[in-house]
Amino acid sequence: MPRFPGTSHTNATLSATVFSRFAQRLKDLRGVTTYPLHVGDTWREPLEAARAEAQRTAETPHLHTYSPVQGEPALVAAAVRKVKARTGVDLDPADVQVTVGATGGLSVVCQALLDPGDEVLLPAPFWPLIRGIIASRGAVPVQVPLMDRLAAGRDAVDVEAALEAAVTARTVAIYVNSPHNPTGVVLDDAAAAAIARVAARHDLWVLCDEVYEDLFHGAAAPTPLWTRPDLRPRAIVVHSLSKAYGLAGARVGYAHGPAEAMAAIRAVHTFQAYGTAKPMQLGAARALDDGAAWLAETRAAYRDAAAATAAAFGAPAPAGGTFLFADVRDLVGGDDATPLLLALLERGVILTPGGACGDAYGGFVRVCYTSVHPGELASALAIVREVVADLRAGGPTA
Ligand SMILES: Cc1ncc(COP(=O)(O)O)c(C=O)c1O
């Protein structure tokens, strides 16, 4: 049936403005210093050797030709070394696939594992793009409110029962992200075991999003879920250089998992992206091999920023990641955080509406505490404290 000038029905629910409900208001602000705490990025420049300008044709002839579909051998080798150092696990290099960031990685993973109509359990709230990645495959993201309850830590949360109740005959996978965007939760062993039991009971794939694996705020590095013997055979793992190495613009990530699935993922990757920028893959390899000190400084800076941000919102400090997910229902008197979002926006502080992270979260706001320099963050948090105090005192501030 002709479609012109229409576009794909499968992708009709996707929007390029996932973060910018208030974009016009923002454009209208004149002469106000803005603090973009809505985008998950960093103020830090990456390790020098990893930067775009550090890659040179003189040192790497054919720097601008295609890379192999699997990725640059130097990056694949560095990824294997990194995984070994972080987890003790020896990967077969053949089972590693370099991807266009974790976004491109999850997209090819969904393309390779899912068929239209399949369901994926999505513990909510969640990273806003994952819903669209699943939907763009024609699959159904099934929201399971869970992560905010784990973050609040008030009542015992039955992770197994929550997931189990959402399983249907069409469920194919569970998406798991820890440390978590947006709540900052690091899943503990009990939660991991519950996920593993549900996955085993219903023969599900487990999509492990490890983009924040190195950004934990406690003393010890958390054990990645996928390294559990009861999860590993069914885990497809996606990593990124964007977060721990400050290379979001490089668009480099890598995935690994069981050999047969990785062969299917590589096949899809061939047709979807073929590869990602070779100079940036080489920079990424340098970051993985030589970035430990840079990462340690970053982790310390982010930990302080997390604590300061939580204090300003009167919320518990996140355990990892780069976000705080603040429950502001008491402050705004209901499930719509718009009064707070607008009051902050008028004064230049931009946050993500919680609703972008799940249908049940209109009364929450997401704050990225790593996107601006600590000095600017302090100014933004001073504004937050004033606006929160005004709202508490009963007067709308804008
Ligand atoms: C949980 C999560 N997964 C994946 C990504 C995407 O990372 P990348 O920049 O590697 O595409 C992000 C980015 O914000 C994220 O928060």
Side-chain angles (χ1 to χ4, degrees), residues 350-388:
I350 315 165
L351 307 184
T352 308
C357 302
D359 295 343
Y361 300 99
F364 291 66
V365 294
R366 190 188 71 164
V367 191
C368 177
Y369 48 78
T370 64
S371 56
V372 299
H373 187 276
E376 289 171 73
L377 182 67
S379 306
L381 295 180
I383 295 171
V384 167
R385 273 190 289 271
E386 283 172 25
V387 168
V388 166

mmCIF file of all heavy atoms in Angstrom, residues 350-388:
data_model
loop_
_atom_site.group_PDB
_atom_site.id
_atom_site.type_symbol
_atom_site.label_atom_id
_atom_site.label_comp_id
_atom_site.label_asym_id
_atom_site.label_seq_id
_atom_site.Cartn_x
_atom_site.Cartn_y
_atom_site.Cartn_z
ATOM 1 N N ILE A 350 18.232 23.507 33.794
ATOM 2 C CA ILE A 350 17.417 22.621 32.943
ATOM 3 C C ILE A 350 17.525 21.187 33.465
ATOM 4 O O ILE A 350 18.617 20.630 33.565
ATOM 5 C CB ILE A 350 17.908 22.655 31.480
ATOM 6 C CG1 ILE A 350 18.167 24.089 31.022
ATOM 7 C CG2 ILE A 350 16.894 21.971 30.564
ATOM 8 C CD1 ILE A 350 18.987 24.166 29.744
ATOM 9 N N LEU A 351 16.372 20.601 33.788
ATOM 10 C CA LEU A 351 16.320 19.215 34.249
ATOM 11 C C LEU A 351 15.465 18.403 33.280
ATOM 12 O O LEU A 351 14.721 18.960 32.464
ATOM 13 C CB LEU A 351 15.697 19.121 35.648
ATOM 14 C CG LEU A 351 16.278 19.998 36.757
ATOM 15 C CD1 LEU A 351 15.586 19.669 38.086
ATOM 16 C CD2 LEU A 351 17.778 19.794 36.879
ATOM 17 N N THR A 352 15.553 17.086 33.371
ATOM 18 C CA THR A 352 14.709 16.211 32.554
ATOM 19 C C THR A 352 13.418 15.906 33.314
ATOM 20 O O THR A 352 13.487 15.491 34.486
ATOM 21 C CB THR A 352 15.426 14.865 32.289
ATOM 22 O OG1 THR A 352 16.722 15.126 31.769
ATOM 23 C CG2 THR A 352 14.643 14.001 31.318
ATOM 24 N N PRO A 353 12.258 16.060 32.675
ATOM 25 C CA PRO A 353 11.018 15.633 33.341
ATOM 26 C C PRO A 353 11.069 14.128 33.592
ATOM 27 O O PRO A 353 11.450 13.357 32.706
ATOM 28 C CB PRO A 353 9.929 15.958 32.307
ATOM 29 C CG PRO A 353 10.570 16.876 31.306
ATOM 30 C CD PRO A 353 12.039 16.598 31.335
ATOM 31 N N GLY A 354 10.683 13.714 34.798
ATOM 32 C CA GLY A 354 10.735 12.292 35.134
ATOM 33 C C GLY A 354 9.921 11.431 34.184
ATOM 34 O O GLY A 354 10.257 10.266 33.951
ATOM 35 N N GLY A 355 8.873 11.994 33.602
ATOM 36 C CA GLY A 355 8.013 11.236 32.688
ATOM 37 C C GLY A 355 8.772 10.696 31.477
ATOM 38 O O GLY A 355 8.330 9.726 30.857
ATOM 39 N N ALA A 356 9.919 11.303 31.138
ATOM 40 C CA ALA A 356 10.725 10.786 30.020
ATOM 41 C C ALA A 356 11.319 9.426 30.372
ATOM 42 O O ALA A 356 11.743 8.679 29.501
ATOM 43 C CB ALA A 356 11.848 11.761 29.673
ATOM 44 N N CYS A 357 11.339 9.123 31.678
ATOM 45 C CA CYS A 357 11.968 7.880 32.146
ATOM 46 C C CYS A 357 10.927 6.815 32.509
ATOM 47 O O CYS A 357 11.273 5.796 33.109
ATOM 48 C CB CYS A 357 12.838 8.169 33.363
ATOM 49 S SG CYS A 357 14.137 9.385 33.061
ATOM 50 N N GLY A 358 9.670 7.061 32.169
ATOM 51 C CA GLY A 358 8.640 6.067 32.455
ATOM 52 C C GLY A 358 7.308 6.726 32.767
ATOM 53 O O GLY A 358 7.269 7.827 33.327
ATOM 54 N N ASP A 359 6.237 6.005 32.407
ATOM 55 C CA ASP A 359 4.897 6.588 32.517
ATOM 56 C C ASP A 359 4.518 6.960 33.943
ATOM 57 O O ASP A 359 3.703 7.853 34.163
ATOM 58 C CB ASP A 359 3.859 5.594 31.970
ATOM 59 C CG ASP A 359 4.047 5.368 30.481
ATOM 60 O OD1 ASP A 359 4.743 6.193 29.841
ATOM 61 O OD2 ASP A 359 3.516 4.366 29.964
ATOM 62 N N ALA A 360 5.103 6.254 34.933
ATOM 63 C CA ALA A 360 4.678 6.473 36.326
ATOM 64 C C ALA A 360 5.464 7.578 37.023
ATOM 65 O O ALA A 360 5.319 7.770 38.227
ATOM 66 C CB ALA A 360 4.834 5.163 37.107
ATOM 67 N N TYR A 361 6.290 8.337 36.265
ATOM 68 C CA TYR A 361 7.259 9.198 36.946
ATOM 69 C C TYR A 361 7.110 10.693 36.666
ATOM 70 O O TYR A 361 8.082 11.442 36.750
ATOM 71 C CB TYR A 361 8.678 8.687 36.648
ATOM 72 C CG TYR A 361 8.814 7.274 37.156
ATOM 73 C CD1 TYR A 361 8.678 6.194 36.293
ATOM 74 C CD2 TYR A 361 8.959 7.029 38.514
ATOM 75 C CE1 TYR A 361 8.721 4.896 36.771
ATOM 76 C CE2 TYR A 361 8.990 5.738 39.011
ATOM 77 C CZ TYR A 361 8.869 4.672 38.133
ATOM 78 O OH TYR A 361 8.896 3.401 38.628
ATOM 79 N N GLY A 362 5.892 11.119 36.392
ATOM 80 C CA GLY A 362 5.656 12.539 36.156
ATOM 81 C C GLY A 362 5.980 13.409 37.354
ATOM 82 O O GLY A 362 6.248 14.601 37.218
ATOM 83 N N GLY A 363 5.979 12.820 38.541
ATOM 84 C CA GLY A 363 6.248 13.591 39.756
ATOM 85 C C GLY A 363 7.711 13.536 40.179
ATOM 86 O O GLY A 363 8.036 13.826 41.330
ATOM 87 N N PHE A 364 8.563 13.181 39.234
ATOM 88 C CA PHE A 364 10.001 13.098 39.520
ATOM 89 C C PHE A 364 10.750 14.016 38.546
ATOM 90 O O PHE A 364 10.225 14.377 37.493
ATOM 91 C CB PHE A 364 10.522 11.667 39.312
ATOM 92 C CG PHE A 364 10.013 10.665 40.322
ATOM 93 C CD1 PHE A 364 8.667 10.310 40.379
ATOM 94 C CD2 PHE A 364 10.878 10.047 41.210
ATOM 95 C CE1 PHE A 364 8.190 9.377 41.291
ATOM 96 C CE2 PHE A 364 10.433 9.109 42.126
ATOM 97 C CZ PHE A 364 9.087 8.773 42.172
ATOM 98 N N VAL A 365 11.987 14.343 38.890
ATOM 99 C CA VAL A 365 12.870 15.042 37.952
ATOM 100 C C VAL A 365 14.217 14.320 37.930
ATOM 101 O O VAL A 365 14.638 13.747 38.941
ATOM 102 C CB VAL A 365 13.092 16.524 38.327
ATOM 103 C CG1 VAL A 365 11.796 17.313 38.214
ATOM 104 C CG2 VAL A 365 13.694 16.676 39.732
ATOM 105 N N ARG A 366 14.839 14.339 36.757
ATOM 106 C CA ARG A 366 16.175 13.734 36.640
ATOM 107 C C ARG A 366 17.220 14.836 36.506
ATOM 108 O O ARG A 366 17.040 15.782 35.732
ATOM 109 C CB ARG A 366 16.233 12.813 35.426
ATOM 110 C CG ARG A 366 17.503 11.972 35.400
ATOM 111 C CD ARG A 366 17.666 11.206 34.114
ATOM 112 N NE ARG A 366 17.995 12.083 33.012
ATOM 113 C CZ ARG A 366 18.489 11.677 31.843
ATOM 114 N NH1 ARG A 366 18.680 10.384 31.633
ATOM 115 N NH2 ARG A 366 18.754 12.531 30.888
ATOM 116 N N VAL A 367 18.297 14.699 37.276
ATOM 117 C CA VAL A 367 19.363 15.697 37.294
ATOM 118 C C VAL A 367 20.680 15.017 36.937
ATOM 119 O O VAL A 367 21.069 14.059 37.611
ATOM 120 C CB VAL A 367 19.537 16.288 38.719
ATOM 121 C CG1 VAL A 367 20.443 17.506 38.691
ATOM 122 C CG2 VAL A 367 18.197 16.574 39.377
ATOM 123 N N CYS A 368 21.372 15.517 35.916
ATOM 124 C CA CYS A 368 22.724 15.023 35.642
ATOM 125 C C CYS A 368 23.711 15.927 36.371
ATOM 126 O O CYS A 368 23.756 17.130 36.114
ATOM 127 C CB CYS A 368 23.024 15.019 34.138
ATOM 128 S SG CYS A 368 24.727 14.488 33.840
ATOM 129 N N TYR A 369 24.491 15.367 37.267
ATOM 130 C CA TYR A 369 25.395 16.188 38.083
ATOM 131 C C TYR A 369 26.821 16.199 37.531
ATOM 132 O O TYR A 369 27.737 16.660 38.197
ATOM 133 C CB TYR A 369 25.366 15.745 39.550
ATOM 134 C CG TYR A 369 25.501 14.251 39.780
ATOM 135 C CD1 TYR A 369 26.732 13.613 39.696
ATOM 136 C CD2 TYR A 369 24.379 13.482 40.069
ATOM 137 C CE1 TYR A 369 26.850 12.253 39.899
ATOM 138 C CE2 TYR A 369 24.489 12.110 40.270
ATOM 139 C CZ TYR A 369 25.724 11.501 40.183
ATOM 140 O OH TYR A 369 25.834 10.153 40.376
ATOM 141 N N THR A 370 27.004 15.665 36.310
ATOM 142 C CA THR A 370 28.364 15.629 35.744
ATOM 143 C C THR A 370 28.503 16.469 34.476
ATOM 144 O O THR A 370 29.575 16.533 33.900
ATOM 145 C CB THR A 370 28.767 14.182 35.396
ATOM 146 O OG1 THR A 370 27.905 13.690 34.360
ATOM 147 C CG2 THR A 370 28.681 13.278 36.606
ATOM 148 N N SER A 371 27.412 17.092 34.042
ATOM 149 C CA SER A 371 27.469 17.762 32.738
ATOM 150 C C SER A 371 28.105 19.145 32.824
ATOM 151 O O SER A 371 28.549 19.669 31.809
ATOM 152 C CB SER A 371 26.067 17.848 32.108
ATOM 153 O OG SER A 371 25.194 18.491 32.979
ATOM 154 N N VAL A 372 28.137 19.753 34.011
ATOM 155 C CA VAL A 372 28.795 21.068 34.135
ATOM 156 C C VAL A 372 29.884 20.981 35.210
ATOM 157 O O VAL A 372 29.843 20.120 36.100
ATOM 158 C CB VAL A 372 27.788 22.199 34.479
ATOM 159 C CG1 VAL A 372 26.742 22.337 33.385
ATOM 160 C CG2 VAL A 372 27.115 21.978 35.832
ATOM 161 N N HIS A 373 30.846 21.886 35.096
ATOM 162 C CA HIS A 373 31.972 21.953 36.026
ATOM 163 C C HIS A 373 31.452 22.113 37.469
ATOM 164 O O HIS A 373 30.414 22.759 37.680
ATOM 165 C CB HIS A 373 32.845 23.151 35.627
ATOM 166 C CG HIS A 373 34.116 23.238 36.381
ATOM 167 N ND1 HIS A 373 34.200 23.836 37.620
ATOM 168 C CD2 HIS A 373 35.357 22.792 36.089
ATOM 169 C CE1 HIS A 373 35.442 23.740 38.057
ATOM 170 N NE2 HIS A 373 36.168 23.115 37.143
ATOM 171 N N PRO A 374 32.146 21.546 38.459
ATOM 172 C CA PRO A 374 31.659 21.648 39.844
ATOM 173 C C PRO A 374 31.335 23.076 40.285
ATOM 174 O O PRO A 374 30.383 23.284 41.058
ATOM 175 C CB PRO A 374 32.819 21.068 40.666
ATOM 176 C CG PRO A 374 33.488 20.107 39.737
ATOM 177 C CD PRO A 374 33.340 20.675 38.360
ATOM 178 N N GLY A 375 32.076 24.063 39.812
ATOM 179 C CA GLY A 375 31.779 25.449 40.184
ATOM 180 C C GLY A 375 30.407 25.873 39.660
ATOM 181 O O GLY A 375 29.611 26.505 40.374
ATOM 182 N N GLU A 376 30.134 25.508 38.402
ATOM 183 C CA GLU A 376 28.812 25.830 37.819
ATOM 184 C C GLU A 376 27.714 25.009 38.491
ATOM 185 O O GLU A 376 26.599 25.496 38.704
ATOM 186 C CB GLU A 376 28.815 25.513 36.326
ATOM 187 C CG GLU A 376 29.647 26.438 35.489
ATOM 188 C CD GLU A 376 29.741 25.888 34.081
ATOM 189 O OE1 GLU A 376 28.729 25.957 33.354
ATOM 190 O OE2 GLU A 376 30.798 25.357 33.726
ATOM 191 N N LEU A 377 28.049 23.767 38.825
ATOM 192 C CA LEU A 377 27.050 22.928 39.512
ATOM 193 C C LEU A 377 26.665 23.578 40.838
ATOM 194 O O LEU A 377 25.477 23.615 41.200
ATOM 195 C CB LEU A 377 27.606 21.514 39.737
ATOM 196 C CG LEU A 377 26.645 20.540 40.409
ATOM 197 C CD1 LEU A 377 25.437 20.225 39.497
ATOM 198 C CD2 LEU A 377 27.342 19.225 40.788
ATOM 199 N N ALA A 378 27.660 24.119 41.544
ATOM 200 C CA ALA A 378 27.366 24.775 42.828
ATOM 201 C C ALA A 378 26.388 25.938 42.614
ATOM 202 O O ALA A 378 25.448 26.120 43.400
ATOM 203 C CB ALA A 378 28.660 25.257 43.477
ATOM 204 N N SER A 379 26.598 26.724 41.529
ATOM 205 C CA SER A 379 25.666 27.840 41.251
ATOM 206 C C SER A 379 24.276 27.299 40.940
ATOM 207 O O SER A 379 23.264 27.838 41.403
ATOM 208 C CB SER A 379 26.156 28.661 40.051
ATOM 209 O OG SER A 379 27.471 29.084 40.258
ATOM 210 N N ALA A 380 24.218 26.239 40.135
ATOM 211 C CA ALA A 380 22.912 25.658 39.786
ATOM 212 C C ALA A 380 22.206 25.127 41.030
ATOM 213 O O ALA A 380 20.995 25.322 41.216
ATOM 214 C CB ALA A 380 23.102 24.540 38.759
ATOM 215 N N LEU A 381 22.976 24.487 41.921
ATOM 216 C CA LEU A 381 22.363 23.906 43.121
ATOM 217 C C LEU A 381 21.897 24.988 44.091
ATOM 218 O O LEU A 381 20.917 24.800 44.820
ATOM 219 C CB LEU A 381 23.328 22.927 43.802
ATOM 220 C CG LEU A 381 23.668 21.677 42.971
ATOM 221 C CD1 LEU A 381 24.644 20.772 43.729
ATOM 222 C CD2 LEU A 381 22.409 20.892 42.577
ATOM 223 N N ALA A 382 22.590 26.140 44.070
ATOM 224 C CA ALA A 382 22.126 27.260 44.909
ATOM 225 C C ALA A 382 20.737 27.697 44.417
ATOM 226 O O ALA A 382 19.834 27.982 45.220
ATOM 227 C CB ALA A 382 23.123 28.413 44.838
ATOM 228 N N ILE A 383 20.560 27.729 43.097
ATOM 229 C CA ILE A 383 19.244 28.080 42.535
ATOM 230 C C ILE A 383 18.214 27.023 42.924
ATOM 231 O O ILE A 383 17.089 27.338 43.324
ATOM 232 C CB ILE A 383 19.346 28.225 40.996
ATOM 233 C CG1 ILE A 383 20.261 29.410 40.650
ATOM 234 C CG2 ILE A 383 17.963 28.372 40.358
ATOM 235 C CD1 ILE A 383 20.614 29.523 39.169
ATOM 236 N N VAL A 384 18.625 25.748 42.825
ATOM 237 C CA VAL A 384 17.705 24.663 43.203
ATOM 238 C C VAL A 384 17.241 24.860 44.642
ATOM 239 O O VAL A 384 16.032 24.785 44.940
ATOM 240 C CB VAL A 384 18.392 23.276 43.045
ATOM 241 C CG1 VAL A 384 17.570 22.174 43.724
ATOM 242 C CG2 VAL A 384 18.614 22.955 41.578
ATOM 243 N N ARG A 385 18.168 25.149 45.541
ATOM 244 C CA ARG A 385 17.795 25.285 46.964
ATOM 245 C C ARG A 385 16.790 26.424 47.153
ATOM 246 O O ARG A 385 15.814 26.292 47.889
ATOM 247 C CB ARG A 385 19.039 25.508 47.830
ATOM 248 C CG ARG A 385 19.682 24.186 48.254
ATOM 249 C CD ARG A 385 20.753 24.393 49.313
ATOM 250 N NE ARG A 385 21.915 25.034 48.731
ATOM 251 C CZ ARG A 385 22.931 24.374 48.184
ATOM 252 N NH1 ARG A 385 22.948 23.061 48.198
ATOM 253 N NH2 ARG A 385 23.942 25.000 47.638
ATOM 254 N N GLU A 386 17.024 27.538 46.434
ATOM 255 C CA GLU A 386 16.098 28.670 46.568
ATOM 256 C C GLU A 386 14.703 28.327 46.038
ATOM 257 O O GLU A 386 13.689 28.620 46.673
ATOM 258 C CB GLU A 386 16.636 29.877 45.784
ATOM 259 C CG GLU A 386 17.766 30.594 46.509
ATOM 260 C CD GLU A 386 18.415 31.655 45.619
ATOM 261 O OE1 GLU A 386 17.740 32.163 44.691
ATOM 262 O OE2 GLU A 386 19.590 31.945 45.859
ATOM 263 N N VAL A 387 14.682 27.692 44.869
ATOM 264 C CA VAL A 387 13.382 27.371 44.249
ATOM 265 C C VAL A 387 12.629 26.351 45.106
ATOM 266 O O VAL A 387 11.410 26.473 45.334
ATOM 267 C CB VAL A 387 13.594 26.866 42.803
ATOM 268 C CG1 VAL A 387 12.320 26.253 42.240
ATOM 269 C CG2 VAL A 387 14.084 28.003 41.910
ATOM 270 N N VAL A 388 13.363 25.365 45.617
ATOM 271 C CA VAL A 388 12.730 24.354 46.472
ATOM 272 C C VAL A 388 12.171 25.020 47.734
ATOM 273 O O VAL A 388 11.038 24.758 48.155
ATOM 274 C CB VAL A 388 13.737 23.230 46.815
ATOM 275 C CG1 VAL A 388 13.241 22.363 47.968
ATOM 276 C CG2 VAL A 388 14.005 22.368 45.581
#
